[in-house]
Amino acid sequence: MTTRVPTSDWDAISDNLHRFAPNVDRHEAKLIARMGVARFTITRDGHVTAGMPLHDFDGRADSLVFDHSAGAIRIERAGVTYVFRRP
């Protein structure tokens, strides 16, 4: 089951990211999830940086689609899709 969350819903983003990753640091305007060498960061204004060795994403998102059972977050913005997979 997937859960689509608009980046404007900060509480739902936070809840789902904490469910997705065991190690999430919360700062005033951003959340940083670390999973070994992989990382996923989102700011309140919808800027996402994510990646691991050999690939990265750096851009804005309109929504995040959490697929907890598959261990993936799909970053969506008009015409752009990036899938981050939990290592």
Side-chain angles (χ1 to χ4, degrees):
M1 185 172 144
T2 61
T3 303
R4 173 176 273 107
V5 183
T7 55
S8 59
D9 189 346
W10 189 247
D11 291 336
I13 292 286
S14 178
D15 291 345
N16 277 279
L17 193 57
H18 278 90
R19 181 174 165 204
F20 183 82
N23 184 13
V24 178
D25 296 324
R26 186 178 194 136
H27 300 278
E28 271 186 43
K30 74 178 153 181
L31 297 166
I32 304 166
R34 291 183 179 86
M35 296 146 278
V37 297
R39 52 144 177 70
F40 187 95
T41 302
I42 183 164
T43 62
R44 281 189 183 267
D45 66 357
H47 189 100
V48 174
T49 56
M52 56 189 68
L54 303 179
H55 67 88
D56 288 307
F57 176 86
D58 187 354
R60 298 193 51 77
D62 293 326
S63 62
L64 301 180
V65 180
F66 291 88
D67 187 340
H68 295 287
S69 60
I73 302 172
R74 190 171 65 238
I75 301 161
E76 297 181 335
R77 179 160 179 110
V80 175
T81 301
Y82 174 83
V83 177
F84 174 86
R85 297 194 188 282
R86 183 176 48 230

